[in-house]
Amino acid sequence: MHTVLQVSDTHYFCDPGGLMFGIHSRRSLDHVLDYALNHHATAELVLATGDLVHDGSAAGYQALKEALERLEVPVHCLPGNHDNPEVMAAVLNGPRVTCNRAAELADWKIILLDTRVTGSDGGFLARSELDFLERELSSVRNRHVIIVLHHPPVQIGSLWMDDIGLANAAVFLDMIDRHAQVRAVLFGHIHQEFDRLRRGVRLLGAPSTCAQFKPHTLVHVDDPLPPGYRWLRLAGNGRFETGVARLAHPVADDDH
Ligand SMILES: [Fe+2]
């Protein structure tokens, strides 16, 4: 078994004390990473699925890189609607923390996509991203595939969030329907757990490492659940186990 972790929506700021919906995002990630190092110490790969730095600042990416380097495994990062992809690519390019678009782990292949649209909170897969995915899927041969992106490719049942989902999800889903090796799609953006099976493919959303959003709401509503991350244990036959791990308590303002 090979363990992969998904951390999402870290929402760092240039300001080290920056708050995301009242949560100290840097301190919250530190606690989540402590938990991951204790509970999933065998993780071999980490996927950081967007909204990494809320204000797109170089200082935010630099601080995030230093935090993620504590994990001492490769961390592959993709952008969300709040990210600045140019600054992100310039800063997150160390020996461990990178913006690499693909990873291989035993007989699994992981493909990362960019769904960001400048000036919009919603997502869209440009022709170049769809062509990249088609090329990758056509060349994987005997590997099982996990696709990773920021915006969910299905509606999650929250009106405000479904308005800013993946606009051309149908094209994406048509493509994965034509490639039987795809086992799962991982996404961030929704700041809540999501797990649905669609035509044999698990569609999986992760909590944020800071602020949580309540499911099934018309407008944004904070959820008092503690922050966390998703873990996956990949087996050799294309099967996998997955779940969400959360801290025991939300991170308090005076918690260091
Ligand atoms: Fe977010």
mmCIF file of all heavy atoms in Angstrom, residues 52-53 56-62 64-65 75-80 82-101 114 116:
data_model
loop_
_atom_site.group_PDB
_atom_site.id
_atom_site.type_symbol
_atom_site.label_atom_id
_atom_site.label_comp_id
_atom_site.label_asym_id
_atom_site.label_seq_id
_atom_site.Cartn_x
_atom_site.Cartn_y
_atom_site.Cartn_z
ATOM 1 N N LEU A 52 -3.925 28.063 -2.381
ATOM 2 C CA LEU A 52 -2.797 27.874 -1.480
ATOM 3 C C LEU A 52 -2.466 29.184 -0.778
ATOM 4 O O LEU A 52 -2.208 29.193 0.424
ATOM 5 C CB LEU A 52 -1.598 27.335 -2.261
ATOM 6 C CG LEU A 52 -1.891 26.019 -3.022
ATOM 7 C CD1 LEU A 52 -0.650 25.545 -3.750
ATOM 8 C CD2 LEU A 52 -2.415 24.942 -2.086
ATOM 9 N N VAL A 53 -2.468 30.280 -1.553
ATOM 10 C CA VAL A 53 -2.211 31.605 -0.962
ATOM 11 C C VAL A 53 -3.354 32.529 -1.381
ATOM 12 O O VAL A 53 -3.566 32.788 -2.566
ATOM 13 C CB VAL A 53 -0.838 32.146 -1.412
ATOM 14 C CG1 VAL A 53 -0.648 33.579 -0.934
ATOM 15 C CG2 VAL A 53 0.271 31.253 -0.862
ATOM 16 N N GLY A 56 -2.228 35.637 -3.230
ATOM 17 C CA GLY A 56 -1.287 35.413 -4.325
ATOM 18 C C GLY A 56 0.101 36.007 -4.095
ATOM 19 O O GLY A 56 0.877 36.180 -5.046
ATOM 20 N N SER A 57 0.464 36.289 -2.857
ATOM 21 C CA SER A 57 1.730 36.985 -2.572
ATOM 22 C C SER A 57 2.922 36.029 -2.554
ATOM 23 O O SER A 57 2.807 34.877 -2.125
ATOM 24 C CB SER A 57 1.635 37.675 -1.205
ATOM 25 O OG SER A 57 1.416 36.719 -0.183
ATOM 26 N N ALA A 58 4.081 36.540 -3.007
ATOM 27 C CA ALA A 58 5.311 35.736 -2.974
ATOM 28 C C ALA A 58 5.657 35.338 -1.541
ATOM 29 O O ALA A 58 6.097 34.216 -1.277
ATOM 30 C CB ALA A 58 6.451 36.509 -3.617
ATOM 31 N N ALA A 59 5.454 36.279 -0.589
ATOM 32 C CA ALA A 59 5.771 35.977 0.820
ATOM 33 C C ALA A 59 4.885 34.836 1.326
ATOM 34 O O ALA A 59 5.328 33.982 2.101
ATOM 35 C CB ALA A 59 5.577 37.218 1.681
ATOM 36 N N GLY A 60 3.633 34.827 0.895
ATOM 37 C CA GLY A 60 2.729 33.742 1.282
ATOM 38 C C GLY A 60 3.201 32.403 0.741
ATOM 39 O O GLY A 60 3.236 31.393 1.466
ATOM 40 N N TYR A 61 3.595 32.376 -0.542
ATOM 41 C CA TYR A 61 4.081 31.104 -1.125
ATOM 42 C C TYR A 61 5.375 30.642 -0.465
ATOM 43 O O TYR A 61 5.597 29.451 -0.257
ATOM 44 C CB TYR A 61 4.268 31.231 -2.644
ATOM 45 C CG TYR A 61 2.954 31.292 -3.383
ATOM 46 C CD1 TYR A 61 2.543 32.454 -4.009
ATOM 47 C CD2 TYR A 61 2.101 30.186 -3.430
ATOM 48 C CE1 TYR A 61 1.316 32.531 -4.668
ATOM 49 C CE2 TYR A 61 0.882 30.245 -4.086
ATOM 50 C CZ TYR A 61 0.502 31.416 -4.699
ATOM 51 O OH TYR A 61 -0.713 31.484 -5.333
ATOM 52 N N GLN A 62 6.247 31.601 -0.152
ATOM 53 C CA GLN A 62 7.513 31.228 0.488
ATOM 54 C C GLN A 62 7.249 30.593 1.851
ATOM 55 O O GLN A 62 7.841 29.559 2.197
ATOM 56 C CB GLN A 62 8.405 32.478 0.641
ATOM 57 C CG GLN A 62 9.770 32.195 1.217
ATOM 58 C CD GLN A 62 10.612 31.228 0.375
ATOM 59 O OE1 GLN A 62 10.556 31.267 -0.862
ATOM 60 N NE2 GLN A 62 11.352 30.328 1.021
ATOM 61 N N LEU A 64 4.505 29.129 2.809
ATOM 62 C CA LEU A 64 3.825 27.844 2.600
ATOM 63 C C LEU A 64 4.839 26.765 2.208
ATOM 64 O O LEU A 64 4.788 25.635 2.700
ATOM 65 C CB LEU A 64 2.763 27.982 1.508
ATOM 66 C CG LEU A 64 2.010 26.697 1.199
ATOM 67 C CD1 LEU A 64 1.153 26.257 2.379
ATOM 68 C CD2 LEU A 64 1.132 26.861 -0.048
ATOM 69 N N LYS A 65 5.770 27.132 1.327
ATOM 70 C CA LYS A 65 6.793 26.162 0.922
ATOM 71 C C LYS A 65 7.565 25.667 2.134
ATOM 72 O O LYS A 65 7.780 24.460 2.301
ATOM 73 C CB LYS A 65 7.748 26.786 -0.102
ATOM 74 C CG LYS A 65 8.803 25.807 -0.593
ATOM 75 C CD LYS A 65 9.549 26.323 -1.790
ATOM 76 C CE LYS A 65 10.731 27.141 -1.416
ATOM 77 N NZ LYS A 65 11.638 27.397 -2.542
ATOM 78 N N VAL A 75 5.791 17.239 -2.601
ATOM 79 C CA VAL A 75 4.474 17.891 -2.538
ATOM 80 C C VAL A 75 4.220 18.512 -3.911
ATOM 81 O O VAL A 75 4.994 19.363 -4.358
ATOM 82 C CB VAL A 75 4.439 18.997 -1.459
ATOM 83 C CG1 VAL A 75 3.042 19.626 -1.402
ATOM 84 C CG2 VAL A 75 4.837 18.446 -0.092
ATOM 85 N N HIS A 76 3.153 18.073 -4.574
ATOM 86 C CA HIS A 76 2.797 18.621 -5.882
ATOM 87 C C HIS A 76 1.644 19.598 -5.701
ATOM 88 O O HIS A 76 0.621 19.238 -5.125
ATOM 89 C CB HIS A 76 2.396 17.502 -6.847
ATOM 90 C CG HIS A 76 3.539 16.608 -7.221
ATOM 91 N ND1 HIS A 76 3.999 16.516 -8.519
ATOM 92 C CD2 HIS A 76 4.307 15.794 -6.481
ATOM 93 C CE1 HIS A 76 5.022 15.663 -8.543
ATOM 94 N NE2 HIS A 76 5.224 15.211 -7.326
ATOM 95 N N CYS A 77 1.827 20.812 -6.218
ATOM 96 C CA CYS A 77 0.861 21.890 -5.981
ATOM 97 C C CYS A 77 0.158 22.280 -7.278
ATOM 98 O O CYS A 77 0.793 22.374 -8.334
ATOM 99 C CB CYS A 77 1.590 23.126 -5.461
ATOM 100 S SG CYS A 77 2.521 22.828 -3.937
ATOM 101 N N LEU A 78 -1.147 22.537 -7.199
ATOM 102 C CA LEU A 78 -1.864 23.100 -8.347
ATOM 103 C C LEU A 78 -2.622 24.344 -7.881
ATOM 104 O O LEU A 78 -2.922 24.495 -6.698
ATOM 105 C CB LEU A 78 -2.774 22.055 -8.998
ATOM 106 C CG LEU A 78 -3.882 21.409 -8.176
ATOM 107 C CD1 LEU A 78 -5.076 22.309 -7.988
ATOM 108 C CD2 LEU A 78 -4.330 20.103 -8.852
ATOM 109 N N PRO A 79 -2.954 25.252 -8.829
ATOM 110 C CA PRO A 79 -3.572 26.518 -8.426
ATOM 111 C C PRO A 79 -5.089 26.438 -8.287
ATOM 112 O O PRO A 79 -5.758 25.662 -8.970
ATOM 113 C CB PRO A 79 -3.194 27.464 -9.575
ATOM 114 C CG PRO A 79 -3.063 26.566 -10.756
ATOM 115 C CD PRO A 79 -2.590 25.231 -10.254
ATOM 116 N N GLY A 80 -5.623 27.285 -7.383
ATOM 117 C CA GLY A 80 -7.061 27.503 -7.276
ATOM 118 C C GLY A 80 -7.385 28.932 -7.667
ATOM 119 O O GLY A 80 -6.499 29.693 -8.085
ATOM 120 N N HIS A 82 -7.899 31.551 -6.031
ATOM 121 C CA HIS A 82 -7.242 32.639 -5.309
ATOM 122 C C HIS A 82 -5.742 32.735 -5.613
ATOM 123 O O HIS A 82 -5.088 33.679 -5.178
ATOM 124 C CB HIS A 82 -7.437 32.464 -3.796
ATOM 125 C CG HIS A 82 -8.818 32.835 -3.361
ATOM 126 N ND1 HIS A 82 -9.260 34.131 -3.289
ATOM 127 C CD2 HIS A 82 -9.882 32.063 -3.005
ATOM 128 C CE1 HIS A 82 -10.509 34.160 -2.888
ATOM 129 N NE2 HIS A 82 -10.920 32.914 -2.713
ATOM 130 N N ASP A 83 -5.196 31.750 -6.290
ATOM 131 C CA ASP A 83 -3.743 31.735 -6.504
ATOM 132 C C ASP A 83 -3.303 32.636 -7.645
ATOM 133 O O ASP A 83 -4.077 32.935 -8.561
ATOM 134 C CB ASP A 83 -3.281 30.291 -6.785
ATOM 135 C CG ASP A 83 -3.288 29.455 -5.515
ATOM 136 O OD1 ASP A 83 -2.548 29.808 -4.584
ATOM 137 O OD2 ASP A 83 -4.055 28.484 -5.451
ATOM 138 N N ASN A 84 -2.030 33.000 -7.597
ATOM 139 C CA ASN A 84 -1.380 33.684 -8.707
ATOM 140 C C ASN A 84 -0.428 32.660 -9.334
ATOM 141 O O ASN A 84 0.625 32.362 -8.760
ATOM 142 C CB ASN A 84 -0.598 34.897 -8.197
ATOM 143 C CG ASN A 84 0.093 35.628 -9.327
ATOM 144 O OD1 ASN A 84 0.618 35.012 -10.256
ATOM 145 N ND2 ASN A 84 0.084 36.940 -9.264
ATOM 146 N N PRO A 85 -0.791 32.070 -10.486
ATOM 147 C CA PRO A 85 -0.009 30.930 -11.002
ATOM 148 C C PRO A 85 1.444 31.274 -11.323
ATOM 149 O O PRO A 85 2.320 30.427 -11.173
ATOM 150 C CB PRO A 85 -0.773 30.482 -12.252
ATOM 151 C CG PRO A 85 -1.771 31.530 -12.532
ATOM 152 C CD PRO A 85 -1.971 32.362 -11.303
ATOM 153 N N GLU A 86 1.703 32.520 -11.757
ATOM 154 C CA GLU A 86 3.094 32.873 -12.101
ATOM 155 C C GLU A 86 3.953 32.946 -10.835
ATOM 156 O O GLU A 86 5.061 32.396 -10.787
ATOM 157 C CB GLU A 86 3.155 34.203 -12.859
ATOM 158 C CG GLU A 86 2.610 34.153 -14.277
ATOM 159 C CD GLU A 86 1.087 34.216 -14.347
ATOM 160 O OE1 GLU A 86 0.478 34.784 -13.414
ATOM 161 O OE2 GLU A 86 0.500 33.688 -15.308
ATOM 162 N N VAL A 87 3.442 33.629 -9.816
ATOM 163 C CA VAL A 87 4.196 33.742 -8.560
ATOM 164 C C VAL A 87 4.340 32.359 -7.929
ATOM 165 O O VAL A 87 5.416 31.974 -7.440
ATOM 166 C CB VAL A 87 3.485 34.719 -7.590
ATOM 167 C CG1 VAL A 87 4.253 34.811 -6.276
ATOM 168 C CG2 VAL A 87 3.336 36.095 -8.219
ATOM 169 N N MET A 88 3.263 31.616 -7.968
ATOM 170 C CA MET A 88 3.259 30.266 -7.395
ATOM 171 C C MET A 88 4.328 29.384 -8.063
ATOM 172 O O MET A 88 5.123 28.730 -7.383
ATOM 173 C CB MET A 88 1.860 29.680 -7.621
ATOM 174 C CG MET A 88 1.657 28.303 -7.101
ATOM 175 S SD MET A 88 -0.083 27.822 -7.377
ATOM 176 C CE MET A 88 0.163 26.048 -7.408
ATOM 177 N N ALA A 89 4.360 29.396 -9.394
ATOM 178 C CA ALA A 89 5.329 28.555 -10.113
ATOM 179 C C ALA A 89 6.762 28.999 -9.830
ATOM 180 O O ALA A 89 7.680 28.179 -9.784
ATOM 181 C CB ALA A 89 5.040 28.593 -11.614
ATOM 182 N N ALA A 90 6.948 30.314 -9.627
ATOM 183 C CA ALA A 90 8.297 30.827 -9.372
ATOM 184 C C ALA A 90 8.793 30.418 -7.983
ATOM 185 O O ALA A 90 9.972 30.125 -7.807
ATOM 186 C CB ALA A 90 8.293 32.356 -9.502
ATOM 187 N N VAL A 91 7.900 30.403 -7.002
ATOM 188 C CA VAL A 91 8.335 30.157 -5.612
ATOM 189 C C VAL A 91 8.272 28.667 -5.261
ATOM 190 O O VAL A 91 9.170 28.135 -4.594
ATOM 191 C CB VAL A 91 7.482 30.985 -4.617
ATOM 192 C CG1 VAL A 91 7.918 30.706 -3.186
ATOM 193 C CG2 VAL A 91 7.570 32.473 -4.932
ATOM 194 N N LEU A 92 7.211 28.005 -5.709
ATOM 195 C CA LEU A 92 7.040 26.589 -5.329
ATOM 196 C C LEU A 92 7.779 25.697 -6.327
ATOM 197 O O LEU A 92 7.173 24.930 -7.086
ATOM 198 C CB LEU A 92 5.546 26.227 -5.272
ATOM 199 C CG LEU A 92 4.681 27.031 -4.300
ATOM 200 C CD1 LEU A 92 3.250 26.519 -4.299
ATOM 201 C CD2 LEU A 92 5.258 27.006 -2.886
ATOM 202 N N ASN A 93 9.077 25.808 -6.343
ATOM 203 C CA ASN A 93 9.861 25.013 -7.292
ATOM 204 C C ASN A 93 11.143 24.489 -6.648
ATOM 205 O O ASN A 93 12.193 24.458 -7.269
ATOM 206 C CB ASN A 93 10.172 25.817 -8.560
ATOM 207 C CG ASN A 93 11.120 26.965 -8.269
ATOM 208 O OD1 ASN A 93 11.373 27.260 -7.103
ATOM 209 N ND2 ASN A 93 11.648 27.589 -9.296
ATOM 210 N N GLY A 94 11.038 24.092 -5.383
ATOM 211 C CA GLY A 94 12.204 23.556 -4.688
ATOM 212 C C GLY A 94 12.388 22.079 -4.987
ATOM 213 O O GLY A 94 11.722 21.513 -5.852
ATOM 214 N N PRO A 95 13.312 21.453 -4.267
ATOM 215 C CA PRO A 95 13.558 20.030 -4.504
ATOM 216 C C PRO A 95 12.381 19.144 -4.102
ATOM 217 O O PRO A 95 12.191 18.069 -4.663
ATOM 218 C CB PRO A 95 14.785 19.731 -3.638
ATOM 219 C CG PRO A 95 14.903 20.872 -2.685
ATOM 220 C CD PRO A 95 14.231 22.045 -3.312
ATOM 221 N N ARG A 96 11.576 19.594 -3.147
ATOM 222 C CA ARG A 96 10.442 18.773 -2.697
ATOM 223 C C ARG A 96 9.102 19.346 -3.106
ATOM 224 O O ARG A 96 8.231 18.659 -3.593
ATOM 225 C CB ARG A 96 10.483 18.636 -1.169
ATOM 226 C CG ARG A 96 11.558 17.690 -0.665
ATOM 227 C CD ARG A 96 10.987 16.761 0.394
ATOM 228 N NE ARG A 96 11.919 15.671 0.705
ATOM 229 C CZ ARG A 96 12.880 15.773 1.610
ATOM 230 N NH1 ARG A 96 13.050 16.895 2.269
ATOM 231 N NH2 ARG A 96 13.675 14.733 1.853
ATOM 232 N N VAL A 97 8.922 20.643 -2.854
ATOM 233 C CA VAL A 97 7.624 21.281 -3.146
ATOM 234 C C VAL A 97 7.691 21.850 -4.562
ATOM 235 O O VAL A 97 8.524 22.707 -4.859
ATOM 236 C CB VAL A 97 7.337 22.398 -2.125
ATOM 237 C CG1 VAL A 97 5.996 23.054 -2.419
ATOM 238 C CG2 VAL A 97 7.351 21.828 -0.700
ATOM 239 N N THR A 98 6.834 21.347 -5.440
ATOM 240 C CA THR A 98 6.895 21.719 -6.852
ATOM 241 C C THR A 98 5.487 21.953 -7.416
ATOM 242 O O THR A 98 4.483 21.666 -6.746
ATOM 243 C CB THR A 98 7.523 20.590 -7.708
ATOM 244 O OG1 THR A 98 6.605 19.486 -7.734
ATOM 245 C CG2 THR A 98 8.863 20.138 -7.166
ATOM 246 N N CYS A 99 5.445 22.443 -8.641
ATOM 247 C CA CYS A 99 4.184 22.530 -9.390
ATOM 248 C C CYS A 99 4.183 21.472 -10.485
ATOM 249 O O CYS A 99 3.598 21.684 -11.569
ATOM 250 C CB CYS A 99 4.011 23.933 -9.966
ATOM 251 S SG CYS A 99 3.823 25.207 -8.703
ATOM 252 N N ASN A 100 4.817 20.342 -10.257
ATOM 253 C CA ASN A 100 4.845 19.273 -11.248
ATOM 254 C C ASN A 100 3.424 18.814 -11.577
ATOM 255 O O ASN A 100 2.575 18.714 -10.697
ATOM 256 C CB ASN A 100 5.662 18.081 -10.736
ATOM 257 C CG ASN A 100 7.147 18.373 -10.732
ATOM 258 O OD1 ASN A 100 7.571 19.405 -11.243
ATOM 259 N ND2 ASN A 100 7.931 17.490 -10.142
ATOM 260 N N ARG A 101 3.205 18.503 -12.841
ATOM 261 C CA ARG A 101 1.852 18.207 -13.317
ATOM 262 C C ARG A 101 1.505 16.729 -13.280
ATOM 263 O O ARG A 101 0.380 16.346 -13.613
ATOM 264 C CB ARG A 101 1.707 18.715 -14.765
ATOM 265 C CG ARG A 101 2.091 20.186 -14.966
ATOM 266 C CD ARG A 101 1.043 21.081 -14.350
ATOM 267 N NE ARG A 101 -0.278 20.711 -14.748
ATOM 268 C CZ ARG A 101 -0.868 21.113 -15.888
ATOM 269 N NH1 ARG A 101 -0.241 21.912 -16.708
ATOM 270 N NH2 ARG A 101 -2.088 20.731 -16.181
ATOM 271 N N ASP A 114 -4.981 22.369 -14.185
ATOM 272 C CA ASP A 114 -5.172 23.777 -13.812
ATOM 273 C C ASP A 114 -6.550 24.211 -14.312
ATOM 274 O O ASP A 114 -6.783 24.269 -15.520
ATOM 275 C CB ASP A 114 -4.054 24.602 -14.452
ATOM 276 C CG ASP A 114 -4.165 26.081 -14.139
ATOM 277 O OD1 ASP A 114 -5.169 26.500 -13.538
ATOM 278 O OD2 ASP A 114 -3.238 26.820 -14.523
ATOM 279 N N ARG A 116 -7.976 27.138 -13.235
ATOM 280 C CA ARG A 116 -8.121 28.530 -12.853
ATOM 281 C C ARG A 116 -8.494 29.413 -14.045
ATOM 282 O O ARG A 116 -7.995 29.220 -15.151
ATOM 283 C CB ARG A 116 -6.786 28.995 -12.262
ATOM 284 C CG ARG A 116 -6.835 30.315 -11.574
ATOM 285 C CD ARG A 116 -5.446 30.700 -11.099
ATOM 286 N NE ARG A 116 -5.424 32.105 -10.767
ATOM 287 C CZ ARG A 116 -5.340 33.071 -11.658
ATOM 288 N NH1 ARG A 116 -5.216 32.792 -12.932
ATOM 289 N NH2 ARG A 116 -5.364 34.333 -11.268
#
